[in-house]
Amino acid sequence: MKRIAFNDYEVGAEIPELKSGVIQHMDLVRYAGASGDFNPIHTDPAFANQVGLGGTIAHGMYIMAMLGRLATNWAPAAQIDFFGVKFKGMSRPGQTIRCKGVVKKKKEENGKKILQVNIEAVADDGETKVSGELQIAAD
C-alpha cells in the first residue's frame, strides 16, 4: 500500500470513496455474531417493530466499521494517528451507505506532518449516519 505523502494533498482534496452494497438483514445477523452484540433491535424485526423502531436498525459500530475501511483502504494503518466518530442517524436494511472524506486541514507540529480529514457515512437518501475525523501522520 502506498504511504500518504503530505505534499500530495491540499485542503479540500477528497479521499477515495467507499460505497457499500445494500445493507441486508443477514449482514446485521453476521455482524451480531462477529461483535457479540445480539440486541434484538438489530436482528429481530418483530421485536424492533414492538419497540417502535419500524424494523431492525444496523449497529452503529457496523457503519463506523465502514468508515474504518474507508480509512484503511486509503492510508496504511501505521499512518493513522486518530480515528473518531459520532453517530448521527439510524441505518436500516435496504439502505446503501457511501463513505467519503475531505482533507480539512494540513499542519506541522513538532516536526510531524499531519492531515486532518473529515469523514462521513451517508445513506442513499442523503442523511448522514456517522461522521467524524481521521488524522494521518503523513510522510
Side-chain angles (χ1 to χ4, degrees), residues 9 17 27 29 45 51 56-57 65 74 109 112-113 116 119 123 138:
Y9 294 89
E17 187 175 293
D27 296 330
V29 172
V51 297
T56 54
I57 60 171
W74 175 57
E109 287 180 354
K112 196 172 182 179
K113 297 174 180 175
Q116 290 180 329
I119 54 175

Side-chain angles (χ1 to χ4, degrees), residues 1-136:
M1 171 177 271
K2 184 181 174 191
R3 292 183 57 85
I4 302 300
F6 188 76
N7 292 329
D8 287 351
Y9 294 89
E10 297 298 327
V11 172
E14 295 180 5
I15 68 173
E17 187 175 293
L18 174 75
K19 188 172 183 180
S20 76
V22 175
I23 298 172
Q24 304 288 327
H25 178 75
M26 185 54 70
D27 296 330
L28 305 184
V29 172
R30 287 183 181 130
Y31 187 81
S35 68
D37 180 354
F38 289 98
N39 187 324
I41 63 172
H42 304 300
T43 58
D44 184 341
F47 178 84
N49 273 328
Q50 284 178 335
V51 297
L53 292 175
T56 54
I57 60 171
H59 304 73
M61 298 295 278
Y62 177 76
I63 306 302
M64 185 183 94
M66 290 180 188
L67 284 174
R69 189 171 350 140
L70 169 81
T72 57
N73 281 354
W74 175 57
Q79 286 190 279
I80 298 174
D81 268 357
F82 177 80
F83 174 81
V85 300
K86 291 183 179 178
F87 301 101
K88 303 220 168 189
M90 295 185 285
S91 303
R92 298 180 181 281
Q95 290 185 312
T96 301
I97 302 294
R98 189 168 52 105
C99 298
K100 56 188 180 178
V102 176
V103 175
K104 78 170 185 183
K105 188 174 186 179
K106 294 175 70 173
K107 63 182 179 180
E108 293 188 50
E109 287 180 354
N110 303 322
K112 196 172 182 179
K113 297 174 180 175
I114 299 168
L115 296 176
Q116 290 180 329
V117 181
N118 285 342
I119 54 175
E120 64 179 349
V122 179
D124 42 9
D125 65 1
E127 181 182 6
T128 298
K129 304 300 186 177
V130 179
S131 66
E133 184 178 302
L134 174 66
Q135 190 165 298
I136 301 295

